[in-house]
Amino acid sequence: MAHSHTSQAPELRDPAWTGRVFWTLAGLVILWPALVATEFKPWIFLDPDNLRVTLRFLGDFFPPVFTGEFLLMVAQESWRTVAIATAGMALALVLAIPLTLLATRILSVSALTGRMAALPFAVRQLLRWVMILLRSIPELIWALVFVRVVGLGPTAGVLAIGLTYAGMLGKVYSEILESGETHATQTLLRNGASRLQAFFYGLLPQNASELTSYTVYRWECAIRSSAVLGFVGAGGLGQQMDNSMKMFNGGEVATMLLVFMLLVGLADLLSSALRRAIR
Amino acid sequence: MTSATLASPQGFSVGLEAITAFHPTALAGAPPCLQQISLAIAPGEQVAVIGPSGAGKTSFLALMAASLKPANGQVLLNGQSLWSLPQPLLQALRGQVYCAPQTPPLPPRQRVVTSVLAGRLPSQSLWQSLISLIYPSDAHLAAQALAAFDLEEKLWLRVDRLSGGERQRVGLARALLSPARLWLIDEPLSALDPKRAHLVISVLTEQARARRITLVCSLHQVDFALSAFPRVIGLQDGRVAFDLPAKEVDPARLAELYAQEAIPDSSDLLQTEESTSPAAIATQAMVRCR
């Protein structure tokens, strides 16, 4: 790094500097082909023709529709959307919690004294792959599959969200558990507690706030996700939005977008309230 | 095996036979953290372990807590060779050894009552321990244990409301609820004022004696080690420097034991002879800190 320097003064240059510069440049070099591949040209937005089209599309959104009958329908479909997201999350949790408990390294008894034994290591690795499989298939694809199996409607959405989110939750939960302070949990295991006892008396109280906030954030994502799934016939607000878009009724779309903002805002409030309660 | 040991409420005996052990995160080629350790501790005996920082006191306790597996030699607890046991039996045996680490192992958001009752986990079924999380089942036991350490008013507080010294005593109060027959206490006085230090040492030794529990306690306070424990083991560079009745530990031995304390331990910082430039030292220190 600094061998070209011939001065006798003590080396005060940050030894990490060269590495930092290298990785910044490397990052830019990797980013360049990505920008080329995605034809990233933001200036086309400012082209007068494109600008006119964009403005006309956005102009259709005004005014939002606020007729009583439509609002009633939107309220019902919003409720269905929240229900799809909530049921999907519940299904995801039912799958993700056991996956997390089995996959996290912290609860390994054999790893208490150095390396984890071969069999538990293999099981944990296998579960990691199961979670990758679950989340690598987008919920849209799961929904298309389930719409064929269980027919049009919310059930397909619930199943799609449940499977994809189980993989995501399981992965992030085990990472949250592994990156937190593990002293309390490891001591419980060393003193003869079982894995689940160590989880409930050590790991869970240590990480409850992070786990809650991530879970509520995922619930918020599930609400948004159920909108996308609605476009392939999985029910809820998304399906209505699809209908309105097909009929070029921008006002109705705008109303539903406002409802989405409201829902996401509510999820945010819920998350901070829960975290305040746990803190 | 468990039922037999529970039926006879006697402390565990400890046997260490020709132990060599390496620190779990040691680099290849690093010297062992414990070597040539051979000694026996009788059931119900009370032993203090002293020695300079880095002498291997914590590793010595970890050896008996079944959390450090020796590279060579045998660890016998209650006559059973630890590392020949299948894992379920080993984990059951861990439940009969209470190991209190130097930093109290308490989740900040947990309540004191739960932290103390966690000492009972090895003797509880999962179901019992879950019910106790919903409603603390034997709060009076936790209150008694806390009262012994002068903390009874903290029962319903959260751990993060406590001072460092209070947390340390909560960690020790947990020992009073554990079903253990061997207590391994790592520097219980490190965060305590002199008055509390007296209290803690007398509670630990008296309770261990009353329950006939074997007690091994590492200490930096030599005066406490000599006054409260009948037997003192001096550790130096991972070896037993002396293992004597407290009465026979004279100032000359202590001076020799701590003679190296002032010199920083440079032998494992500098692996190679030529790397003495400040930059090289800094780099190596960084590597070690990661």
Side-chain angles (χ1 to χ4, degrees):
Chain A
M1 288 181 230
H3 13 249
S4 60
H5 280 262
T6 46
S7 69
Q8 295 298 309
E11 187 62 78
L12 290 179
R13 230 183 66 154
D14 184 347
W17 175 243
T18 325
R20 250 179 249 156
V21 171
F22 173 78
W23 285 114
T24 308
L25 293 177
L28 289 175
V29 169
I30 292 165
L31 185 61
W32 182 249
L35 292 180
V36 172
T38 52
E39 301 174 19
F40 184 70
K41 294 174 193 147
W43 50 88
I44 59 168
F45 282 116
L46 301 175
D47 182 82
D49 283 346
N50 292 336
L51 216 51
R52 211 175 315 120
V53 175
T54 313
L55 287 178
R56 198 183 320 127
F57 183 72
L58 289 179
D60 281 349
F61 282 19
F62 293 99
V65 177
F66 286 126
T67 60
E69 196 190 348
F70 179 69
L71 278 186
L72 186 67
M73 188 275 289
V74 165
Q76 274 171 350
E77 292 303 316
S78 309
W79 175 240
R80 188 166 293 161
T81 294
V82 172
I84 292 173
T86 311
M89 275 300 282
L91 176 63
L93 283 172
V94 166
L95 295 172
I97 291 172
L99 282 172
T100 307
L101 290 177
L102 290 169
T104 183
R105 259 184 303 118
I106 310 297
L107 292 175
S108 161
V109 171
S110 66
L112 280 179
T113 51
R115 299 255 316 244
M116 201 184 292
L119 181 67
F121 180 77
V123 170
R124 283 187 172 82
Q125 223 48 33
L126 180 73
L127 290 173
R128 254 157 224 262
W129 281 102
V130 169
M131 290 191 278
I132 288 177
L133 177 82
L134 285 175
R135 70 177 187 272
S136 61
I137 299 172
E139 56 262 48
L140 194 61
I141 307 295
W142 283 123
L144 285 171
V145 171
F146 288 124
V147 162
R148 276 161 185 73
V149 178
V150 297
L152 289 174
T155 316
V158 170
L159 291 173
I161 290 177
L163 287 188
T164 317
Y165 280 41
M168 292 183 197
L169 292 174
K171 173 200 159 71
V172 179
Y173 282 172
S174 26
E175 278 170 10
I176 289 175
L177 297 183
E178 281 168 21
S179 58
E181 177 63 57
T182 61
H183 183 51
T185 317
Q186 303 263 297
T187 306
L188 286 173
L189 286 175
R190 291 208 164 116
N191 280 334
S194 72
R195 292 181 189 85
L196 281 175
Q197 285 176 330
F199 172 75
F200 283 111
Y201 278 78
L203 211 46
L204 189 60
Q206 191 83 48
N207 299 294
S209 167
E210 290 76 11
L211 293 175
T212 309
S213 113
Y214 182 71
T215 308
V216 178
Y217 170 66
R218 268 292 146 204
W219 179 67
E220 182 194 311
C221 292
I223 291 177
R224 244 172 290 133
S225 192
S226 74
V228 178
L229 298 183
F231 279 71
V232 296
L237 266 186
Q239 200 161 347
Q240 297 308 321
M241 208 186 270
D242 186 36
N243 293 341
S244 301
M245 276 194 170
K246 279 179 182 147
M247 298 195 284
F248 299 103
N249 195 335
E252 289 182 6
V253 176
T255 310
M256 286 186 268
L257 284 178
L258 287 175
V259 170
F260 266 106
M261 283 180 212
L262 197 68
L263 289 177
V264 171
L266 284 177
D268 199 57
L269 282 181
L270 178 69
S271 167
S272 54
L274 278 176
R275 261 181 303 153
R276 217 174 307 124
I278 286 175
R279 187 173 54 213
Chain B
M1 152 231 131
T2 12
S3 56
T5 42
L6 284 177
S8 67
Q10 210 191 13
F12 273 5
S13 65
V14 179
L16 302 178
E17 295 173 0
I19 299 278
T20 305
F22 292 87
H23 200 267
T25 55
L27 302 169
C33 61
L34 292 172
Q35 44 190 325
Q36 296 168 17
I37 307 270
S38 291
L39 53 86
I41 297 172
E45 203 174 356
Q46 302 196 344
V47 182
V49 182
I50 61 173
S53 297
K57 299 189 291 294
T58 300
S59 302
F60 182 72
L61 295 183
L63 207 59
M64 294 183 272
S67 55
L68 175 64
K69 189 174 182 174
N72 281 305
Q74 280 219 61
V75 184
L76 300 166
L77 282 191
N78 205 23
Q80 299 189 42
S81 175
L82 273 190
W83 299 103
S84 58
L85 291 173
Q87 186 158 301
L89 286 185
L90 180 63
Q91 192 63 5
L93 194 64
R94 280 188 179 121
Q96 302 190 44
V97 176
Y98 185 79
C99 165
Q102 194 176 343
T103 41
L106 313 172
R109 289 191 280 255
Q110 198 168 50
R111 287 189 304 172
V112 170
V113 60
T114 317
S115 285
V116 175
L117 289 177
R120 294 190 308 172
L121 289 178
S123 56
Q124 279 181 321
S125 71
L126 175 63
W127 196 234
Q128 287 171 319
S129 54
L130 288 182
I131 289 173
S132 179
L133 268 188
I134 296 164
Y135 193 89
S137 41
D138 285 306
H140 66 282
L141 292 179
Q144 281 169 16
L146 286 169
F149 289 98
D150 201 9
L151 278 175
E152 61 271 45
E153 75 283 4
K154 310 287 184 192
L155 182 65
W156 301 107
L157 290 186
R158 263 169 46 155
V159 167
D160 53 9
R161 304 276 185 278
L162 305 183
S163 73
E166 287 167 342
R167 287 184 207 199
Q168 194 161 31
R169 283 180 282 149
V170 169
L172 296 171
R174 189 190 267 187
L176 300 185
L177 273 97
S178 86
R181 307 311 306 161
L182 167 62
W183 283 352
L184 304 166
I185 316 283
D186 196 5
E187 296 196 17
L189 312 181
S190 57
L192 301 182
D193 60 62
K195 190 184 140 222
R196 304 281 195 215
H198 265 287
L199 171 80
V200 161
I201 283 292
S202 61
V203 170
L204 286 177
T205 51
E206 280 163 22
Q207 290 284 339
R209 199 171 299 125
R211 300 160 182 230
R212 300 166 67 190
I213 291 169
T214 312
L215 172 63
V216 182
C217 183
S218 80
L219 285 169
H220 260 305
Q221 294 78 359
V222 176
D223 45 339
F224 277 116
L226 297 182
S227 61
F229 290 84
R231 176 178 170 190
V232 177
I233 295 174
L235 284 183
Q236 190 181 40
D237 287 339
R239 296 165 196 267
V240 175
F242 59 77
D243 178 0
L244 292 170
K247 276 168 266 167
E248 292 173 32
V249 180
D250 51 28
R253 281 192 194 276
L254 291 173
E256 200 184 326
L257 185 70
Y258 288 98
Q260 317 238 310
E261 179 112 272
I263 306 168
D265 189 6
S266 57
S267 60
D268 57 344
L269 183 61
L270 300 178
Q271 301 286 341
T272 48
E273 291 295 320
E274 70 277 12
S275 55
T276 45
S277 76
I281 293 177
T283 320
Q284 293 201 0
M286 269 174 38
V287 168
R288 284 164 55 84
C289 290
R290 268 184 209 142

